[in-house]
Amino acid sequence: MVLVTSRNQLRGLVVQYGARRIVLDQMSPAEAGELLAGVIGPERVAAEPEAAAEIVERCARLPLALRIFAERAARFPRTPLRRLAADLRDERTRLAALDAGDGDDTDLRMVFSWTYGALEPEAARLFRLLGLHPGPEVSTGAAGALLGEPDAGRVTRLLDRLTADHLLRSRSPGRYDFHDLLRAYAAERARAEGDAERDGEAALRRVLDWYLHSALDAAEHLPSGGRPFAAGPVPDGLAPHDLHDAEGAVCWYEEELANLMAATHAAAARGWHDLAWRLPRALARFFDFHVPGRAWVQVYQVAVNAARAAGEPLEEGVALNHLARALALLGRPREAARRFEDALAVARRAGERDLEGAVLVNLGTAYARLGRSADSTGCFAAALALARETGDRRLEAEALDDMAQNHNALGRYEDAASAARSAAEAATAAGDRYRRGEALRTLGTAYAGLGRHEEAVTAFLAALEVKRAFEDRRGEADVLHRLGRALVESGDPDGARSRWRESLAIFAELDDPRAADVRRSLAETGPRPAADPRQETPVT
């Protein structure tokens, strides 16, 4: 038996001779921490655990990087680790901090250069440009945009070369990343060879345009997110990702969400205001499918600032509306209401009736959550009047559905059912299947409140079909939970438990707090007792 170690993957040995490849990935955080402690002493690591953990991650958990840093730390035993870690935070100085100054074998930059120097020019150029990519992971399409190369086959061959030499990692087909030290080295090579000034800005603009136009293509397969906006023509030589259905669109958004948000911040940092508000706008249709964290608040604040700087009052109002929705979904209703009020003022100053109507329904919901029932009803009524005045059946459906939800919350189930049926009719007339599904969910809730449980089951089943068609997992889980309650009341506890288990699986997978409510429903209903075999009729 022969054991071969190499920085290159030596794929030919696998293909021709059936060699077994064993890939050594990064050490685990615990293993990397042990290595650090072995050089500088466990007491020092235990005294500053947060700084030690930061050092481990800044060194990408690479043994050589950790040993170089640990040797330096050992030379300065009285210097706190947190001060030494500061040298690793700046990408421009990180590699310099990982040079022991004792020859090429202890200079991480030089070790990387041995592999980089063996690359052909086009692969080396791609490696450098990848160091300028703003997000954590790059797809084949995004890499092609950086290069200005629409031929996916050619781009894949270059990416595979970088992966074979361990300058990139590929954890799933068509997606690549590298650890922070290699990213810093790639960016350093781009600066040293002039790419950052000569080619880098153009490459970055290309990839941000690629994300924008790909996101717009994905948005076409999801429920309408309001009035469209002009994104401009696709630049020459750019091949945006082509999607075909709602399932593919949602999966693409989920994979690229971190990159899209990073692209927004990169555009804002360079003063590219047009991209800094357009990219978040292209994310709007995915907003309903993703429970937002703080990142959504940050990205829509960027959009507000960019639209304001670009002199786009409509887009400023749209961004304020999305910012407020993110705040509302994060459980910050008072802040949300203030931002909705700002958006409403912008819409009215600009004379944008469509935006005014969209903000009114959202503001009404925020007021309802704050217990301001009269204000909430006033917003919905104003939105409904505006919708009927302008003939906007989609807005009419949304306003009626929100009114119905208010009625349900107040126990006025007859009024809720009437408004929800009208909302479903308006959504059908508008050709908005998703909004019709929302209205059917509200209608099912009203019927359940009226004790019309079989009709509630029918409405929930119809709503469930819509949620599944649009890959709305959270909406699907919510409808399944409501459906289970209606099934219990209609005399089908086994069917209810089955639906609740489906709901629980989705909520648990998405780490949604509503999973606790579903578990409670399952516990309260309990399994049906097994039949007593002594009472069964014997077979003769």
Side-chain angles (χ1 to χ4, degrees), residues 464 467-468 472-481 506:
L464 182 62
K467 294 295 179 184
R468 285 175 170 168
D472 183 355
R473 302 294 307 290
R474 285 184 171 81
E476 176 186 352
D478 178 69
V479 172
L480 283 165
H481 190 202
I506 297 171

Side-chain angles (χ1 to χ4, degrees), residues 449-469:
L450 291 167
R452 295 160 61 175
H453 301 296
E454 291 185 3
E455 290 171 277
V457 167
T458 300
F460 286 138
L461 286 171
L464 182 62
E465 183 181 347
V466 174
K467 294 295 179 184
R468 285 175 170 168

Side-chain angles (χ1 to χ4, degrees), residues 88-95 131 180 183-184 187 191:
L88 298 175
R89 291 181 190 136
D90 187 343
E91 183 183 273
R92 291 176 178 259
T93 61
R94 189 175 303 159
L95 292 174
D180 287 346
R183 179 187 293 276
R191 289 191 294 271

Side-chain angles (χ1 to χ4, degrees), residues 400-437:
L400 284 165
D401 184 42
D402 286 333
M403 283 182 166
Q405 290 182 49
N406 257 9
H407 290 316
N408 274 334
L410 295 170
R412 299 197 294 256
Y413 298 117
E414 286 287 2
D415 292 336
S418 175
R421 283 191 294 267
S422 296
E425 291 169 6
T428 301
D432 190 337
R433 188 183 175 198
Y434 185 81
R435 178 57 58 188
R436 175 177 168 77

Side-chain angles (χ1 to χ4, degrees), residues 357-407:
V359 175
L360 279 168
V361 292
N362 290 331
L363 181 58
T365 301
Y367 284 155
R369 288 175 182 168
L370 291 170
R372 296 168 59 176
S373 299
D375 291 333
S376 174
T377 301
C379 285
F380 294 145
L384 183 58
L386 191 154
R388 286 174 172 166
E389 177 188 334
T390 60
D392 186 341
R393 300 307 303 275
R394 183 182 179 280
L395 177 60
E396 180 182 355
E398 192 170 1
L400 284 165
D401 184 42
D402 286 333
M403 283 182 166
Q405 290 182 49
N406 257 9
H407 290 316

